Amino acid sequence: MKKISVVILNWNGVGMLQKFLPKVVEYSKGEGMEVCVADNGSTDESVAWLEANCPDVRLIVLDKNYGFAKGNNKGLEVARQMSPDSYLLLNNDTEVLPDFIVRLQEFSARHPR
């Protein structure tokens, strides 16, 4: 099974995390899977909520808001340490289906480029 690192950029989105992240984590369980949240300098309760409620999520706390592109790139830099075969960038308000990882893996196998 290929390793996949799901990277979610967050900025002041504790409400979105509370609503959508639990299903991402639930549906991303398995060997070689990792869910990372790169917090982009939030000033709300995002980091505290993640620390208290999401022990299976790799929390990446950025020292400031780097914006969308650079924040995602910084999250990917840290996720790279797991040496995944693939990365999946999600927004913090993404609602996923139970088989979203399986579909991604199947699509990647059919289209390796």
Side-chain angles (χ1 to χ4, degrees):
M1 183 73 55
K2 293 190 174 204
K3 292 192 270 184
I4 298 174
S5 186
V6 178
V7 180
I8 300 167
L9 185 65
N10 178 68
W11 180 74
N12 288 342
V14 69
M16 296 295 177
L17 293 172
Q18 290 168 338
K19 182 174 181 179
F20 297 107
L21 184 60
K23 292 297 183 187
V24 173
V25 172
E26 179 183 348
Y27 300 153
S28 299
K29 293 204 182 290
E31 185 178 335
M33 294 299 308
E34 176 183 52
V35 176
C36 304
V37 172
D39 187 79
N40 211 5
S42 291
T43 57
D44 68 357
E45 297 298 315
S46 293
V47 172
W49 183 82
L50 287 162
E51 290 173 336
N53 297 284
C54 300
D56 295 334
V57 172
R58 184 176 191 182
L59 177 58
I60 303 163
V61 179
L62 304 178
D63 62 330
K64 65 179 185 178
N65 186 336
Y66 286 93
F68 184 75
K70 192 168 185 178
N72 273 308
N73 285 334
K74 288 193 166 284
L76 289 170
E77 286 173 21
V78 175
R80 189 173 295 125
Q81 296 168 3
M82 187 186 113
S83 300
D85 298 299
S86 300
Y87 301 92
L88 175 61
L89 293 172
L90 295 178
N91 290 336
N92 63 357
D93 62 349
T94 301
E95 186 171 3
V96 295
L97 297 172
D99 62 346
F100 85 104
I101 289 294
V102 172
R103 287 182 179 198
L104 175 65
Q105 290 170 324
E106 289 172 352
F107 182 87
S108 295
R110 285 192 314 272
H111 306 281
R113 295 181 81 196

